[in-house]
Amino acid sequence: MTGAATPPALETRGLCKSFGALTVASRIDFRLARGARQALIGPNGAGKTSFVNLVTGVLKPSDGRILLDAADITPLSQAQRVKRGIVRTFQITTLFRGLSVLENVTLAVSERLGSGGDIHRAAGSRRHIIDEAYALLERLALHDEALRPVKELAYGRQRLVEIAVALGLAPKVLLLDEPAAGVPSSESGTIVETIERLPADIALLIIEHDMDLVFRLARRITVLVAGQILVEGTPQEIAADARVRQVYLGERAHA
Amino acid sequence: MAAVAERVVAGAADTFARRHRLRWYEALPWAAAIAGYFAFPDYLALGAQILATIVFALSVDLVLGYGGIVTLGQAAFFGTGAYTAGLLAAHGFGAPVLGLVIAAAAAALVGLVSGVIVLRTHGLTQLMMTLMVAVMLSAVANKANTITGGADGLQGMVVQPVFGLFRFGLYGNTAYFYCLAVLFLCWLAMRRIVHSPFGRSLTGIRENEARMHAIGSPVFVRRLVAYTISAAMAGISGALVAQTTQFVATDALGFERSGNVLIMLLLGGIGQLYGAFIGVPLYMIAQDRFAAIDPVYWYFWIGLLLVLMVMFARGGVLGIVDRIGALIRRRQ
């Protein structure tokens, strides 16, 4: 844990969520330090996606609180939380498929700068927005495909656009939901490198199945099992933890 | 090498920033409208109806083609506009432009209020909700037949000359140019809207609503604004038809009107701004011709045309144009 003086970028206290008899989050106390490189792992059905949905405001918690920079954001809507800097990507590519790559990112930048609802001027006349979006594409080496519809891109490239759209929102906390899911291993290297090069001030939480990727990117790992945090620690601690091996790694070895 | 790269950089962003500039082909509908006036002087009444209906189709394109809201109840707003203009003209307030403005406001109000409920639902439920709004208004218009004249129609509309100068005469000159001018203004507004950040965000909602939420867009508000603007435009269309025909009946609110405009838009092409300008004349002229040639079975021919369209020409006429364009580019 970092010192108590600086509050964590993101924190949940006693976070609970249940759908009837099904409990997907049970008293989760979670902390994500500023500039963290942390992974959230757990077997299928552990509640990882529900946790992301709770933090981003898609789901309302049954109980507990969510804090961003020590400020309570529990009652805020999804859109309001994005404005505060909590941004996510999706496990299954969730993009504007018929629109160009540049348009995808421009939409995000435009919303962040509060001109997404502007009806009086042409979108093209907002040159600073387009230039910022384009600069972002250059950073991710996507600019050669700027004007191509997203659906025409290779899946690995689409996963990069997924990250580019999120970066267009200038996140403080970025939740990457299986960023390399479905990408052939020959292309996943680019995605890993892109994540490694993300600005250090962004607190990253990577939700991931791929253990190679987790151990390469994360400096801390949180293990979620049945809606509860089983253990949290450094990659070495997690790899050596007997309970983790049993419920998670062991299960994978048998599969 | 660096210079070349720089030029490519400027290229992509520049192209993107220039998308809202006028293109030569955008003048075609207006050239056709003027040419049509001189070429078919005996068909000006039909021409005025076509122009007014294009406004209606534009209103549908905004919510359906750009906003992704499937509606079967657009006639609710058309009828509201038609009755507002009609009742005004029947009670001594026959100034057409003022009538248009009030009709647009009334339709916008109905759009706003119904939109708050309709837009909370999705998919099939939403479709049925839009339909219900139109059915309910139609029932009200029928019930209030002492005011509306019910199915027999509103009696005694007196529409004054436009700006006190241009009388709505027997030959339909005034009606034609009145509708053309209003259509032009609606097109300008529509064009501005779809190219604005607001319009682009509507397209985003259509393409992927979940991601729009995730980039912090107030999706519900955006849709509600679009729905209200669309309702106002449909109201203007209804008022145009009421004023130029000097008649309104309950069919202004009917399901057939909501359905037909969808067919017209499908014929032309959805979500491309110009689908309305192609689909509406195509449908209405075909309807006029088929009805003259084969008064009994003309709906059959319309149906056949549609079946062929769906089988061989998805995306309507504009879809065909796009594909031909792509083919030519590939040859080059």
Side-chain angles (χ1 to χ4, degrees):
Chain A
M1 283 289 142
T2 42
T6 52
L10 178 73
E11 186 178 2
T12 69
R13 290 186 193 160
L15 200 62
C16 296
K17 178 70 185 178
S18 43
F19 301 99
L22 176 71
T23 301
V24 294
S26 170
R27 308 191 54 75
I28 297 179
D29 295 315
F30 174 85
R31 295 168 133 251
L32 188 70
R34 287 154 191 278
R37 294 291 181 268
Q38 193 160 327
L40 181 68
I41 65 171
N44 281 326
K48 300 188 294 292
T49 299
S50 296
F51 181 72
V52 171
N53 286 337
L54 284 167
V55 168
T56 53
V58 177
L59 292 175
K60 288 264 166 263
S62 314
D63 197 13
R65 294 201 294 154
I66 303 160
L67 298 98
L68 180 74
D69 283 333
D72 193 344
I73 57 160
T74 321
L76 299 188
S77 72
Q78 189 179 2
Q80 288 168 320
R81 291 184 202 193
V82 174
K83 294 274 185 297
R84 299 276 190 101
I86 298 186
V87 176
R88 69 169 297 185
T89 65
F90 291 82
Q91 178 188 346
I92 297 160
T93 303
T94 302
L95 294 165
F96 314 110
R97 290 175 54 76
L99 309 184
S100 70
V101 175
L102 186 53
E103 180 100 71
N104 270 262
V105 180
T106 303
L107 279 172
V109 176
S110 174
E111 289 294 343
R112 186 190 93 231
L113 297 176
S115 50
D118 194 338
I119 207 162
H120 302 295
R121 250 181 295 182
S125 68
R126 296 298 181 85
R127 197 52 203 253
H128 63 287
I129 293 177
I130 297 168
D131 287 341
E132 185 185 330
Y134 193 85
L136 201 62
L137 293 182
E138 280 183 303
R139 250 172 64 201
L140 301 193
L142 281 165
H143 55 287
D144 286 341
E145 292 160 307
L147 296 181
R148 287 182 64 190
V150 164
K151 63 183 173 197
E152 288 180 6
L153 266 57
Y155 196 69
R157 310 291 287 167
Q158 292 188 20
R159 297 304 291 166
L160 284 179
V161 178
E162 186 76 32
I163 295 172
V165 170
L167 291 179
L169 299 166
K172 283 184 197 155
V173 172
L174 180 55
L175 310 166
L176 296 170
D177 197 353
E178 300 199 29
V183 178
S185 51
S186 57
E187 291 176 49
S188 67
T190 322
I191 293 169
V192 174
E193 282 160 28
T194 302
I195 295 170
E196 281 175 333
R197 281 205 311 268
L198 289 179
D201 58 334
I202 300 177
L204 271 190
L205 182 66
I206 302 152
I207 295 89
E208 193 47 81
H209 264 304
D210 183 340
M211 283 304 123
D212 292 340
L213 209 137
V214 167
F215 282 101
R216 192 165 158 196
L217 290 172
R219 273 169 244 145
R220 284 194 81 76
I221 297 173
T222 305
V223 183
L224 198 67
V225 176
Q228 284 180 303
I229 293 181
L230 179 73
V231 61
E232 196 200 298
T234 63
Q236 291 73 25
E237 287 166 352
I238 297 301
D241 193 291
R243 291 167 300 172
V244 175
R245 283 181 181 222
Q246 198 191 345
V247 301
Y248 188 71
L249 300 174
E251 189 181 89
R252 276 174 62 91
H254 288 298
Chain B
M1 208 49 208
V4 173
E6 215 157 82
R7 213 174 328 136
V8 173
V9 168
D14 281 344
T15 310
F16 190 77
R18 271 201 296 265
R19 285 178 313 170
H20 62 284
R21 304 263 170 94
L22 273 168
R23 307 281 202 283
W24 63 268
Y25 55 77
E26 298 188 85
L28 289 180
W30 314 110
I34 302 292
Y37 173 79
F38 290 108
F40 305 103
D42 298 335
Y43 286 92
L44 291 184
L46 175 65
Q49 294 316 298
I50 289 175
L51 295 170
T53 308
I54 293 175
V55 174
F56 189 41
L58 275 179
S59 81
V60 176
D61 206 16
L62 180 63
V63 284
L64 177 65
Y66 289 89
I69 304 162
V70 185
T71 171
L72 271 179
Q74 197 72 359
F77 313 125
F78 180 95
T80 302
Y83 272 112
T84 305
L87 287 169
L88 282 171
H91 292 89
F93 302 96
V97 177
L98 183 68
L100 273 189
V101 173
I102 298 173
L109 186 68
V110 174
L112 181 68
V113 172
S114 66
V116 168
I117 303 157
V118 168
L119 298 175
R120 283 192 196 285
T121 60
H122 286 90
L124 196 58
T125 317
Q126 190 173 64
L127 190 72
M128 298 317 288
M129 292 288 279
T130 61
L131 184 57
M132 283 317 297
V133 172
V135 168
M136 279 167 67
L137 283 180
S138 179
V140 169
N142 220 353
K143 196 84 185 159
N145 58 359
T146 48
I147 303 167
T148 62
D152 295 333
L154 185 67
Q155 304 298 323
M157 273 180 74
V158 181
V159 183
Q160 292 161 11
V162 182
F163 298 128
L165 291 173
F166 307 101
R167 197 168 290 284
F168 284 102
L170 209 54
Y171 301 105
N173 289 304
T174 306
Y176 190 85
F177 282 108
Y178 178 56
C179 288
L180 185 60
V182 173
L183 170 61
F184 185 75
L185 292 176
C186 287
W187 168 79
L188 274 183
M190 186 63 185
R191 199 178 178 286
R192 176 155 277 229
I193 291 167
V194 302
H195 286 295
S196 73
F198 170 80
R200 304 312 304 173
S201 80
L202 281 184
T203 317
I205 295 169
R206 181 196 71 202
E207 289 284 317
N208 198 327
E209 187 180 340
R211 194 58 189 246
M212 283 309 277
H213 283 293
I215 65 171
S217 177
V219 170
F220 178 76
V221 176
R222 294 279 160 79
R223 278 201 161 138
L224 188 59
V225 171
Y227 201 67
T228 305
I229 294 172
S230 161
M233 208 177 274
I236 289 173
S237 171
L240 278 179
V241 171
Q243 290 173 344
T244 53
T245 60
Q246 315 235 344
F247 183 75
V248 192
T250 45
D251 71 338
L253 291 156
F255 171 68
E256 209 179 316
R257 188 175 301 276
S258 301
N260 280 346
V261 72
L262 282 183
I263 294 171
M264 296 181 212
L265 204 51
L266 274 167
L267 277 176
I270 289 178
Q272 306 197 58
L273 194 57
Y274 291 98
F277 288 84
I278 295 170
V280 173
L282 201 64
Y283 182 95
M284 290 182 73
I285 292 169
Q287 186 182 41
D288 187 69
R289 293 291 84 204
F290 284 143
I293 297 163
D294 192 347
V296 184
Y297 293 115
W298 64 271
Y299 237 120
F300 168 81
W301 297 109
I302 295 268
L304 186 67
L305 186 68
L306 268 175
V307 170
L308 291 174
M309 205 79 194
V310 169
M311 285 176 72
F312 301 111
R314 290 275 178 92
V317 174
L318 284 180
I320 299 172
V321 173
D322 277 351
R323 257 169 284 164
I324 292 171
L327 213 67
I328 292 170
R329 252 170 283 144
R330 218 171 303 149
R331 283 277 167 82
Q332 289 169 349

